[in-house]
Each structure stands twice: as structure tokens, then as C-alpha cells.
């Protein structure tokens, strides 16, 4: 069981907006920033959002992130077929379990 | 462009030691970043294994700490993972990745392509 909780699946039609949640606790998301990663089938994860809501160069502005308290959210607007992938949230755990913790991943299906 | 490339045996016998190396190009391993290992069991999510700074400071996942050693070789610009007492549960794709630091924020910015390690007799 992952330290950060994500829904196992999400879906939406092309052009729609979908949101993926990530729930943690005060010692991880409540204290530290959340990063999001996209993993296309058979490939390594790719940084999508860092520092809760910052997009690296090259990531479309269709992707956005937010954080409130001990939860975070990734939103994808104008859904495209190439967005079909697994999405993971991650944060640093400051409690006794010191280190990086990930969500269990959310498989996004574009209908 | 920063690139990371994992290498090592794809098959390890049960109770054996899993040894992998990550060669870094396009960046100095002596830069102020953290060098990490992350694994992903077949069909499962990501699991952080541990990290090392070029100074030698390490942090390990408590669930693996007793079996893990991460080391750095500055002369070869690479870092390595050793995981002892392997079991089938250690079968996974192993990724090396860099954690960058920017204005106090940390995140995995570059990843290797991953290498599958199977623990089996």
C-alpha cells in the first residue's frame, strides 16, 4: 500500500478535462512540495509538474497542478489520446519514514 | 542533455546480490544533485530505493535499508546499487534518476530508461 493515495483509474473523452487526486499527510504533502510524473507504456517516468504547480519547459499548459493542505491534484484539460498513461504523485516524507514516497499511480484512459 | 544509463545483470539467483551501475553523461556527478534508484515491479507502481550525494551522504528506504548500498564513483561519473539477499519480490525494472534542487525545491528531473532484473533460479 502506497503512502500517498491516488485513484487507480480515471477516464475522459478527447477535449474534456480530468482531475487526478493525491492524498497524503502532514509529514509529506502537508510539509513538502508535490511533483507529478507521467509514464507512457513501456517508458520511464517523465517529470510533468514540480513544486506543486510548476511546469518544466516543454510540458503543455494543458497540464496543471495544485495543492491544499495534505492533498494535491493534477488537472489535464483538452484531453488528447497521447495523454493516455499512468500518472504518479510524489513527495518527500519528513517523518520517521524519511525519503521519497509515491502514490500508487492512476491509469488515465482516453475514451 | 543529461542522460542516465543503467547496466548490470538481468538475472540474479535467489539469495544473490543485485548489482547495477548508472552511468551519467551531460552532467557531473559532483554537482549539487542527488542520485537515486527507483524500482517498479511488473504491473505495479514506483518504489523509491535510496539516494546518494556526491559527498557520499546516503538515504535509504527504511523497508530496504538493511539490504541496500548505494555508492558513487566520481572518477567514472557513475553511481551504483547493491541489493543483497534477493528474492522474487525484488524482480522489477530498476531506474536510476537524478533529483535536482532548485530554490529549495527537489524533484526527479532525469531518468534512465530502466533495466529489468529478474530474481529466479
Amino acid at each position: 500500500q502506497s503512502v500517498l493515495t491516488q485513484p487507480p483509474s480515471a477516464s475522459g473523452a478527447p477535449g474534456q478535462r480530468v482531475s487526478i487526486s493525491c492524498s497524503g499527510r502532514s509529514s509529506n504533502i502537508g510539509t513538502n512540495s508535490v511533483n507529478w510524473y507521467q509514464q507512457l507504456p513501456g517508458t520511464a517516468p517523465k517529470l510533468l509538474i514540480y513544486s506543486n504547480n510548476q511546469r518544466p519547459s516543454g510540458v503543455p499548459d494543458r497540464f496543471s497542478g495544485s495543492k491544499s493542505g495534505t492533498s494535491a491534484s493534477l488537472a489535464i484539460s483538452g484531453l488528447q489520446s497521447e495523454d493516455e498513461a499512468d500518472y504518479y504523485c510524489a513527495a518527500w516524507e519528513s517523518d520517521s519514514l524519511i525519503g521519497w514516497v509515491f502514490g500508487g499511480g492512476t491509469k488515465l484512459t482516453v475514451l | 542533455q543529461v542522460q542516465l544509463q543503467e547496466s548490470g545483470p538481468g538475472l540474479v539467483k535467489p539469495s544473490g546480490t543485485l548489482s547495477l551501475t548508472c552511468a551519467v553523461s551531460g552532467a557531473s556527478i559532483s554537482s549539487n544533485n542527488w542520485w537515486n534508484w527507483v524500482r517498479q515491479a511488473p504491473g505495479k507502481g514506483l518504489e523509491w530505493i535510496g539516494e546518494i550525494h556526491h559527498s557520499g551522504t546516503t538515504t535509504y528506504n527504511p523497508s530496504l535499508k538493511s539490504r541496500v548500498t548505494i555508492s558513487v564513483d566520481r572518477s567514472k561519473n557513475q553511481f551504483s546499487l547493491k541489493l543483497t539477499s534477493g528474492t522474487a519480490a525484488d524482480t522489477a525494472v530498476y531506474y536510476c534518476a537524478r533529483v535536482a534542487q532548485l530554490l529549495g525545491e527537489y524533484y526527479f528531473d532525469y531518468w534512465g530508461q530502466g533495466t529489468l532484473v529478474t530474481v529466479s533460479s
Side-chain angles (χ1 to χ4, degrees), chain A residues 30-90:
Chain A
T31 302
N32 302 303
S33 294
V34 176
N35 306 316
W36 289 90
Y37 302 89
Q38 178 193 58
Q39 186 175 35
L40 297 170
T43 70
K46 168 193 166 186
L47 180 64
L48 204 59
I49 297 287
Y50 69 96
S51 188
N52 304 321
N53 54 20
Q54 301 298 303
R55 281 187 311 277
S57 174
V59 173
D61 59 6
R62 302 186 296 105
F63 294 91
S64 62
S66 64
K67 186 184 101 168
S68 178
T70 58
S71 294
S73 183
L74 172 71
I76 309 171
S77 60
L79 205 57
Q80 300 180 5
S81 59
E82 55 261 39
D83 298 333
E84 189 159 291
D86 293 325
Y87 292 85
Y88 293 91
C89 58

Side-chain angles (χ1 to χ4, degrees), chain B residues 11-14 119-121:
Chain B
L11 182 64
V12 175
K13 293 189 184 304
V119 179
S120 175
S121 55

Side-chain angles (χ1 to χ4, degrees), chain B residues 31-70:
Chain B
S31 57
N32 194 28
N33 298 297
W34 290 81
W35 305 95
N36 287 249
W37 289 97
V38 176
R39 69 181 182 180
Q40 186 171 35
K44 302 297 184 181
L46 302 170
E47 180 182 27
W48 179 71
I49 299 171
E51 64 181 8
I52 189 166
H53 190 261
H54 71 85
S55 63
T57 301
T58 54
T59 307
Y60 299 132
N61 184 327
S63 69
L64 299 170
K65 188 174 184 177
S66 64
R67 299 194 291 132
V68 171
T69 301
I70 298 176

